[in-house]
Amino acid sequence: MTGDEALPPGTQQIDAGAAQRQRRRLAASEDAPWLHQEVATRMLDRLPVIRLQPTAVLQSRPSIGGGDAGLRQHYPQATQLWLEPDAEVRALLQQRLKRGFMQSVMDKLRGGAPTELVAEPPAAAAQLAWSNMELHAEADKPALMKRWQAGLAVEGCLMFSCLGPDSFIELRPVFAREGWGVPAPDWVDMHDLGDMLVHAGFADPVMDQEHLRLTWGSPEDLLRDLRALGGNLAPARARGLRTKAWRARLLRALESLRGADGRLSLSIELVYGHAFKPQPKVKVAATTEVSLEQMRAMVRGAGKH
């Protein structure tokens, strides 16, 4: 596909190859990124709003999302379906499941539910789909949403979180001033995400947002924490290897983020959403045959209202 071709909404602002490399690097760590763990806690606090007692929970890319322990605590009897399409990351997760084999045996003896690692979601297998801090880094968002929808049972619920457009917005003028391209993709607005959910077959999407202000004492600390979150996935980012001189220049440029309190700060916009999988719509044929008795029954039924 060339850059001149029209792409579906939500696909054009992410470098898919860079996103895959980033996910693999993050998955190599035993723990999810620090910000993802914090957002997982905030999502778990929202679970009581969803009055479900699922027998199966579909966790989309659990290695980067965090929240697994909290989900097990909320739903101790629910099977945890770990959805990971990437074979390389799936192999890492399989090794972790093997290392935790004895613990999983003890959990089962205590009545706990198993964990299943899947490349594609089993059709209509879960009553809750969970995706934490995954969607913003996905090149083909509509396809991912359709995957979630396929794995949910009718009336099942999707809960997700991702970055919104105001995330790291302070870095944009810094990079523009230095001629370094863009520091991050143009994250998708929550209203556009809601539209994508509807197109993917979800009903009643509810979206909201939260803004955080993160601060650091030094540019080195800021860069360390940003790297722990991943990397720049914008196709329009500056390319090429970086030198020590460039890094020193970056550290100096980041000093412009220092505020009156003496600390460097960046904004984070968190987008939260949930939606349900509705009953399938009945297809209406161009010609429908109705017997006289059926017609009389319908008329009698309509007369009762």
Side-chain angles (χ1 to χ4, degrees), residues 30-44:
E30 291 288 338
D31 298 316
W34 56 273
L35 179 61
H36 297 198
Q37 294 184 56
E38 171 62 28
V39 178
T41 300
R42 293 170 186 244
M43 282 184 66
L44 289 166

Side-chain angles (χ1 to χ4, degrees), residues 123-201:
Q127 293 75 40
L128 175 64
W130 169 279
S131 169
N132 182 39
M133 298 295 279
E134 170 194 17
L135 187 59
H136 59 262
E138 174 60 47
D140 192 345
K141 292 174 176 57
L144 178 57
M145 291 178 178
K146 288 178 181 177
R147 190 177 295 132
W148 295 337
Q149 204 264 5
L152 271 178
V154 171
E155 297 183 356
C157 179
L158 163 70
M159 286 191 70
F160 72 92
S161 64
C162 62
L163 293 178
D166 286 344
S167 297
F168 314 119
I169 196 169
E170 296 89 349
L171 289 177
R172 294 187 181 276
V174 173
F175 274 55
R177 185 169 60 247
E178 299 290 340
W180 291 335
V182 295
D186 293 325
W187 310 118
V188 178
D189 180 83
M190 69 175 183
H191 302 292
D192 292 331
L193 292 174
D195 291 341
M196 289 183 205
L197 288 171
V198 173
H199 288 303

Side-chain angles (χ1 to χ4, degrees), residues 215-228:
T215 67
W216 293 266
S218 71
E220 290 86 354
D221 290 343
L222 184 153
L223 287 182
R224 182 198 63 233
D225 284 351
L226 288 188
R227 176 167 174 74

Side-chain angles (χ1 to χ4, degrees), residues 69-105:
L71 287 168
R72 293 176 189 276
Q73 184 177 354
H74 272 80
Y75 309 116
Q77 304 304 317
T79 298
Q80 299 296 324
L81 299 171
W82 284 4
L83 172 62
E84 180 48 70
D86 188 321
E88 184 174 312
V89 177
R90 202 161 57 248
L92 285 173
L93 293 177
Q94 188 64 57
Q95 289 300 316
R96 289 175 193 168
L97 288 177
K98 287 181 180 179
R99 289 200 300 270
F101 175 73
M102 289 307 300
Q103 182 61 49
S104 66
V105 170

Side-chain angles (χ1 to χ4, degrees), residues 37-59:
Q37 294 184 56
E38 171 62 28
V39 178
T41 300
R42 293 170 186 244
M43 282 184 66
L44 289 166
D45 289 341
R46 294 165 176 253
L47 272 180
V49 178
I50 310 299
R51 297 184 178 181
L52 289 174
Q53 287 301 317
T55 58
V57 176
L58 181 69
Q59 295 189 45

